[in-house]
Every structure is written in structure tokens, then in C-alpha cells.
Amino acid sequence: MLEWLDESPGIDLLIGNLGEPWAFGRPDPAAILERVTERFVQLAAKTRKPFAVVLAPSDYPDEARWRLVGKARERLADAGVAIYPSVERAVRALATLSRYWAGQKGAP
């Protein structure tokens, strides 16, 4: 879906949600988190649009879960992907970025 949105000229910004709570309810959450993380890294490498990923803090009481989330966070950060703990924070950050660039375009 994000790749289609990336190709759309009517879309200026992209936000992906890693969805780790959903993944933990599936049979192989490690594989799901790794696959989605890699897809986001690939998209970030090719898109020219601002892109942010929503990934909750890795404060799970279960060590295996927080390690998986921590691994995903580290991979995204190493790839230079912006990571936010909530959709609201990601939207706020990208809106600020958008307003900044809009102001730059109007500057002499």
C-alpha cells in the first residue's frame, strides 16, 4: 500500500505503522516484524517523500518481545528512517516538516 501511495502525485508524506502488537498475536512474530521492517527500509531508501514509521516503545515486560521491537528499531534507525512512538507524534512531526518546506519555497 505504501508503495502505491509513494507513486501517487497527490500524496506528499508517508507514514508506516510497524504494527508490533498485531504481529505478536500471530504464529511467527519475529518473521513478521523483520519482513515489515525490511520493507520499510527499502521504501525509505527509494522514496523522495518524507517517510516516518510508527513503532511503540520497547517496554514490553516479556524480554523476547522487547528484544524483537528493539531489533526493529535499531534496523530502522541504522537506515536513517524517522521513528515515532505513536501516529499522533509522526503526524505532528511530518506536519511541522511540511510547514517548514512550504515556508522555504516562498522565501526569496
Side-chain angles (χ1 to χ4, degrees), residues 3-92:
E3 289 173 349
W4 290 339
L5 293 172
D6 186 36
E7 294 170 5
S8 173
I11 303 294
D12 297 325
L13 311 164
L14 302 171
I15 297 176
N17 188 344
L18 197 63
E20 66 283 356
W22 175 84
F24 288 136
R26 300 294 172 266
D28 192 356
I32 293 169
L33 290 175
E34 185 174 342
R35 185 174 62 246
V36 174
T37 299
E38 286 307 313
R39 294 291 294 198
F40 286 169
V41 167
Q42 292 168 4
L43 178 63
K46 77 171 195 153
T47 187
R48 296 180 55 112
K49 297 176 182 179
F51 176 50
V53 170
V54 177
L55 177 60
S58 48
D59 58 359
Y60 289 94
D62 176 357
E63 181 179 349
R65 287 184 178 195
W66 67 255
R67 285 190 185 278
L68 288 173
V69 173
K71 182 179 176 183
R73 182 180 317 289
E74 186 174 319
R75 176 68 179 110
L76 291 164
D78 287 348
V81 179
I83 307 164
Y84 294 91
S86 68
V87 172
E88 295 81 10
R89 297 265 307 264
V91 168
R92 194 174 320 131

